Amino acid sequence: MAEQLRIEMDTYRLPSPRLGRPVLVFEVTSKVTDDLFLLVPRPRIVAILNGILGRAQQKTADFDFDLYGYYFMSNHLHLLIGVEELVDKSLVLEWVNREIARRINKYHDRTGQLLTPNHAIQITSEAHALERLRYVMGQATAQLKTRHPADDVFACANPALLRGEPLTGVFVHGNGVEEEVTVRLDRLPGLGDLTPRSHRALMWQLADGIAGEHRPRRKKAGLPVPDPEAVRQVDPWTRPKVRDRSPAPVVHGTPEQQAEWRALHATLREAYTEAHIAYWKWLADPRSPLIPFPPGTIPPSHARKAMRALAESG
């Protein structure tokens, strides 16, 4: 119950340059089941992944969101997004991850779960948002798969951020019709006033710093300059040899903000559990009273769908 609790820190909304309103900013990570390399950046897979993000942005009648950056490694993905409400994040990720699973499974002629449940961490300041964009941009370089973020062949935002290239993809509709779509990249909070030239210069500064940071690691390991095209040839059914992952923070912010998040989570946890128990009792007996989930949280997906259906029927 309460272990599924998702919360927002409403006081740490950041100003969206596109929307002109404060939004909740999150870094989202989803892993491929069993760490398989099913998102290996073959041209068709890159087109599919870009196409899904582009199509999601077209569906503004269902949800609207900022997309600041993204990176699809072979066995996991990162999205940097801004949403107006916590439920919007849930709706966006539910749709995006479902469509990725459907299309990538079909590509590989497989069935079953493709992505593990996503892990979304709120970002509490403009400085931390820029730091997380740098982290997302440097995924392949940090893993010594490319020399520089500008060399990447993975489905990612780097070509647009660094060279201004359009991010195009293909979305296959249910009737089989293929539509070419473009992914829109939005400016990070705090960067809306930069000219295109200044913004691109900042992105190159980040990318050059990433390359410079990892060059000594590659040389120390005695590795040659990596060939970006080599990652396209990796067998999708293999797994990484090393799984070196550090614990994720509760928020991307200061130690004080992390402590604040933990205190808020503890405060909401009891109320959330009470509401969840009431929901299950209501399923067994509709005469039982429902208790609203506390503000700043979102019910589990099954509860949210049931509540929406109830509201629509009433």
Side-chain angles (χ1 to χ4, degrees):
M1 282 179 252
E3 67 272 10
Q4 301 177 48
L5 178 57
R6 303 291 183 264
I7 72 172
E8 66 181 51
M9 298 179 74
D10 192 65
T11 55
Y12 294 106
R13 290 175 177 265
L14 304 179
S16 163
R18 180 178 70 92
L19 296 172
R21 299 186 293 275
V23 295
L24 301 163
V25 180
F26 291 93
E27 181 190 346
V28 180
T29 304
S30 292
K31 301 174 184 176
V32 175
T33 299
D34 296 328
D35 264 338
L36 292 170
F37 289 157
L38 299 179
L39 304 181
V40 60
R42 295 173 179 172
R44 180 62 177 179
I45 291 179
V46 171
I48 289 172
L49 296 174
N50 282 343
I52 290 168
L53 291 181
R55 176 58 178 161
Q57 291 176 322
Q58 293 178 350
K59 294 173 66 64
T60 53
D62 299 320
F63 40 73
D64 191 14
F65 66 102
D66 281 350
L67 179 64
Y68 309 118
Y70 66 94
Y71 209 112
F72 290 88
M73 291 295 287
S74 295
N75 66 340
H76 69 279
L77 65 88
H78 293 275
L79 304 174
L80 205 57
I81 63 173
V83 294
E84 292 198 64
E85 301 298 339
L86 197 60
V87 68
D88 297 328
K89 173 181 70 68
S90 178
L91 291 170
V92 170
L93 298 179
E94 180 182 285
W95 189 89
V96 168
N97 283 7
R98 182 185 69 236
E99 297 304 310
I100 290 173
R102 285 177 174 173
R103 285 154 177 77
I104 298 301
N105 271 345
K106 184 175 182 180
Y107 177 90
H108 292 295
D109 193 23
R110 73 182 293 274
T111 59
Q113 185 184 45
L114 184 92
L115 296 171
T116 62
N118 66 79
H119 188 61
I121 302 176
Q122 187 174 350
I123 299 171
T124 58
S125 73
E126 294 174 1
H128 284 97
L130 186 60
E131 187 276 328
R132 298 319 296 173
L133 179 61
R134 183 184 190 275
Y135 172 79
V136 170
M137 290 173 64
Q139 286 294 293
T141 307
Q143 295 191 24
L144 307 182
K145 303 299 182 184
T146 58
R147 175 194 63 88
H148 189 284
D151 300 337
D152 291 340
V153 297
F154 291 91
C156 67
N158 291 358
L161 292 172
L162 297 174
R163 295 188 294 271
E165 296 178 2
L167 300 167
T168 59
V170 174
F171 185 79
V172 184
H173 292 269
N175 58 6
V177 174
E178 295 192 359
E179 177 187 359
E180 183 172 319
V181 296
T182 301
V183 182
R184 182 198 71 243
L185 277 189
D186 301 306
R187 290 285 186 91
L188 269 182
L191 304 184
D193 292 335
L194 293 179
T195 65
R197 182 174 180 178
S198 297
H199 184 267
R200 195 166 303 163
L202 175 59
M203 295 301 104
W204 273 99
Q205 181 182 338
L206 297 179
D208 290 343
I210 294 165
E213 176 182 338
H214 297 290
R215 190 178 303 115
R217 291 181 51 232
R218 188 182 74 243
K219 291 184 177 179
K220 184 176 181 179
L223 299 175
V225 175
D227 175 12
E229 290 293 329
V231 296
R232 297 191 193 272
Q233 311 306 319
V234 173
D235 183 353
W237 303 102
T238 58
R239 299 177 176 86
K241 296 179 181 179
V242 178
R243 302 181 186 184
D244 185 15
R245 290 171 179 150
S246 57
V250 292
V251 294
H252 290 301
T254 65
E256 292 77 17
Q257 290 166 342
Q258 295 189 31
E260 185 179 344
W261 185 95
R262 290 188 173 92
L264 177 61
H265 188 276
T267 299
L268 295 173
R269 183 182 179 93
E270 185 175 348
Y272 179 91
T273 301
E274 183 182 6
H276 201 172
I277 291 173
Y279 165 72
W280 285 110
K281 289 182 177 179
W282 173 80
L283 286 180
D285 181 3
R287 295 169 298 179
S288 300
L290 285 170
I291 300 175
F293 284 87
T297 71
I298 186 169
S301 59
H302 59 269
R304 175 171 53 76
K305 290 176 181 176
M307 297 302 180
R308 186 195 304 163
L310 178 65
E312 290 174 351
S313 65

